Amino acid sequence: MPTTTPDAELPKDNAATSLRLRVARLSILVSLVVLGIKYTAWAVSGSGALLSDAIETILNVLASVGTLWAVAFAARPADDNHPYGHGKAEYVWAVIEGVLVVLTALVILAIAGHDALHIQAPEAPLPGALLNASAGVINLIWALILRRMGKRHHSQALRSAGDHVLSDVWASLALLIGVCLIPVLQWLWLDPLLSALVALNVLWTGFGMMRHSMTGLLDEAPPPELVHEVGQTITQAGQGALEAHDLRMRRVGALYFVEFHLIVPDEMRITDAHDICDRIENAIRAVLGRSSIHIHVEPEDLAKRHKPGASGVLVM
């Protein structure tokens, strides 16, 4: 006798969704402003390293548009074609963004190689570096906001966008230091070298984004301590039942999926078993927040507590 709470009946988070969408829209504006500043920095300096940074920021603009799509699509309610909701759209986009980041890194490496074979001094490195630094400050503030919002609202798209922008900050810092040193040290090869370092940093970020996002697509289990806490919650709230076993959990965005088997006495009435399930579901949501919970109620002879080698058994 399975009992479940469909996603459509879960508590709504319209306010949080609206906030995520506003942040995603604002991210497009911020990325456009930063792109304009970095393009100006390259135009006044003629630095290949600053050009590489500006090219990477073009990707930030495209990524911001994709993030808005992912957040908006993931916010759609469950329907007949997607009974478990659309939350994985954020993970899909995060993987796509990671691929785009890797491709951008390869383009920047190609530019660095070309500049290494045709070395020339930047025209005005200091003004360009200072302009680029101002864009870096904007990116730093915005990256911290994106990461905090993504973590608070379990938005993989916003978190990936924050990681992406933060990698741009470190690149800008390295460029600021390096481009300012070129006229002092007269190391003209430093410009293509910095471009190559920017590319390697972008490449590392891209692979990290893909790796982290794939865990959500592959339904990786939550941290063991959280699974244990949910197990203890089931034990405490399931008074009247005999046992719960085969607990499985996964998370898609802000929504947790929880399922397990609940053993009840053979003589227990269906209404009493249903009351126990309701009590357990309320207790789990007090721990996890939004959750889709499936409880399969079973008779006494299917208990595992007396079976040797049984794993994942929670005895109540």
Side-chain angles (χ1 to χ4, degrees):
M1 180 184 66
T3 175
T4 183
T5 302
D7 187 23
E9 297 177 9
L10 296 173
K12 302 300 181 182
D13 61 340
N14 293 333
T17 298
S18 297
L19 183 58
R20 289 196 296 269
L21 289 171
R22 286 198 299 271
V23 171
R25 293 189 189 101
L26 187 56
S27 189
I28 298 175
L29 177 61
V30 172
S31 60
L32 285 172
V33 170
V34 170
L35 175 60
I37 295 175
K38 289 191 174 184
Y39 179 82
T40 304
W42 165 71
V44 301
S45 69
S47 167
L50 295 184
L51 174 60
S52 298
D53 203 18
I55 290 175
E56 201 275 333
T57 305
I58 294 175
L59 176 64
N60 285 359
V61 177
L62 298 176
S64 297
V65 175
T67 297
L68 176 59
W69 168 84
V71 172
F73 193 85
R76 294 182 179 182
D79 53 35
D80 291 340
N81 291 328
H82 304 87
Y84 294 100
H86 300 77
K88 285 195 175 183
E90 294 199 23
Y91 296 94
V92 172
W93 171 250
V95 172
I96 294 174
E97 184 176 358
V99 173
L100 293 176
V101 168
V102 170
L103 293 177
T104 301
L106 297 179
V107 172
I108 295 174
L109 275 176
I111 294 176
H114 176 273
D115 290 345
L117 297 176
H118 306 83
I119 293 180
Q120 58 183 2
E123 298 173 3
L126 186 57
L130 292 177
L131 277 171
N132 205 70
S134 66
V137 172
I138 295 174
N139 268 340
L140 175 60
I141 296 172
W142 189 241
L144 296 177
I145 292 174
L146 286 172
R147 295 182 71 183
R148 185 174 70 248
M149 293 296 297
K151 184 176 181 180
R152 178 181 300 174
H153 298 287
H154 303 290
S155 172
Q156 182 59 36
L158 293 182
R159 291 185 66 175
S160 294
D163 291 340
H164 185 183
V165 174
L166 190 60
S167 72
D168 198 28
V169 173
W170 300 123
S172 297
L173 178 61
L175 291 175
L176 174 64
I177 296 173
V179 172
C180 288
L181 288 176
I182 290 175
V184 176
L185 303 177
Q186 293 299 312
W187 292 349
L188 299 184
W189 50 265
L190 189 59
D191 195 46
L193 176 61
L194 288 172
S195 295
L197 292 177
V198 169
L200 292 177
N201 176 69
V202 173
L203 192 65
W204 176 262
T205 300
F207 280 122
M209 290 165 60
M210 288 190 290
R211 182 178 63 253
H212 184 70
S213 301
M214 285 299 294
T215 61
L217 287 176
L218 297 176
D219 291 330
E220 184 177 274
E225 55 271 20
L226 182 60
V227 176
H228 177 74
E229 183 179 1
V230 171
Q232 292 299 313
T233 300
I234 295 172
T235 300
Q236 295 167 7
Q239 298 302 318
L242 301 177
E243 174 187 307
H245 58 249
D246 294 344
L247 171 63
R248 296 194 300 175
M249 294 174 55
R250 62 189 177 98
R251 194 183 81 183
V252 178
L255 176 64
Y256 283 94
F257 290 86
V258 181
E259 59 181 82
F260 60 93
H261 295 201
L262 186 71
I263 304 296
V264 299
D266 291 339
E267 65 276 8
M268 179 174 284
R269 297 184 306 167
I270 293 178
T271 53
D272 293 335
H274 188 272
D275 289 341
I276 294 175
C277 291
D278 283 345
R279 191 166 66 239
I280 293 175
E281 289 174 4
N282 292 332
I284 291 176
R285 290 199 178 94
V287 174
L288 299 179
R290 289 189 62 215
S291 306
S292 178
I293 304 169
H294 182 96
I295 305 174
H296 189 79
V297 178
E298 296 180 331
E300 213 170 323
D301 60 340
L302 293 181
K304 289 187 176 182
R305 55 181 172 175
H306 300 306
K307 295 182 180 180
S311 61
V313 180
L314 307 166
V315 179
M316 291 180 282

